[in-house]
């Protein structure tokens, strides 16, 4: 099993940049990693070992910590969430024309995703 440290190094290698926002007392509130690529933004937020969130959103989102549109997200234990982010393919992008993004991409195996159109 790959260590959390190695997973974080892999994210840095892929272009993630990390910041460490602090609370009013100067204590680190979270570790936040952000990567912009292929028309999307990936964000990983680590609050605690079992409180980690990851998401992918369209590149035009203005608030990456509270986006209005999320294309993919997961939460949970650090190794599971970081592993899921690392498994997302880079070409997991948003269709560029209005109306085309009414479905969503879902991971089908590490490194691959499938577009699912809405049903109903």
């Amino acid at each position: 099993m790959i260590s959390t440290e190695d997973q974080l190094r892999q994210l840095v290698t892929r272009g993630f940049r990390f910041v460490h926002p602090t609370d009013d007392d100067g204590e680190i509130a979270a570790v936040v990693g952000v990567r912009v690529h292929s028309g999307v933004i990936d964000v990983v937020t680590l609050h605690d070992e079992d409180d980690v969130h990851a998401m992918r959103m369209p590149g035009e989102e203005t608030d990456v910590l509270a986006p209005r549109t999320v294309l993919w997200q997961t939460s949970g234990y650090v190794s599971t969430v970081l592993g899921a982010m690392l498994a997302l393919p880079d070409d997991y992008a948003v269709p560029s024309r209005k109306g085309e993004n009414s479905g969503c991409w879902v991971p089908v195996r590490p490194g691959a995703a499938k577009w699912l159109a809405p049903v109903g």
Side-chain angles (χ1 to χ4, degrees):
M1 183 164 151
I2 187 168
S3 72
T4 300
E5 186 176 324
D6 286 339
Q7 287 177 313
L8 289 169
R9 282 189 179 127
Q10 286 181 19
L11 290 174
V12 169
T13 299
R14 290 187 182 188
F16 276 82
R17 300 294 177 243
F18 286 87
V19 295
H20 310 90
T22 57
D23 61 18
D24 292 338
D25 297 324
E27 297 292 321
I28 293 177
V31 174
V32 180
V34 178
R35 176 176 95 145
V36 179
H37 67 101
S38 305
V40 295
I41 303 168
D42 293 335
V43 178
V44 176
T45 306
L46 299 96
H47 294 283
D48 201 333
E49 189 173 0
D50 61 354
D51 186 11
V52 180
H53 308 279
M55 64 183 131
R56 180 167 281 177
M57 65 200 74
E60 58 271 358
E61 279 295 331
T62 56
D63 185 350
V64 298
L65 297 180
R68 293 184 342 180
T69 303
V70 175
L71 304 171
W72 172 89
Q73 65 183 337
T74 191
S75 297
Y77 191 75
V78 65
S79 62
T80 303
V81 173
L82 296 183
M85 179 57 80
L86 288 165
L88 283 178
D90 281 345
D91 62 353
Y92 189 94
V94 181
S96 59
R97 289 174 283 179
K98 286 195 180 254
E100 288 187 4
N101 59 353
S102 57
C104 64
W105 286 99
V106 294
V108 292
R109 64 182 181 283
K114 179 179 180 179
W115 179 258
L116 295 181
V119 177

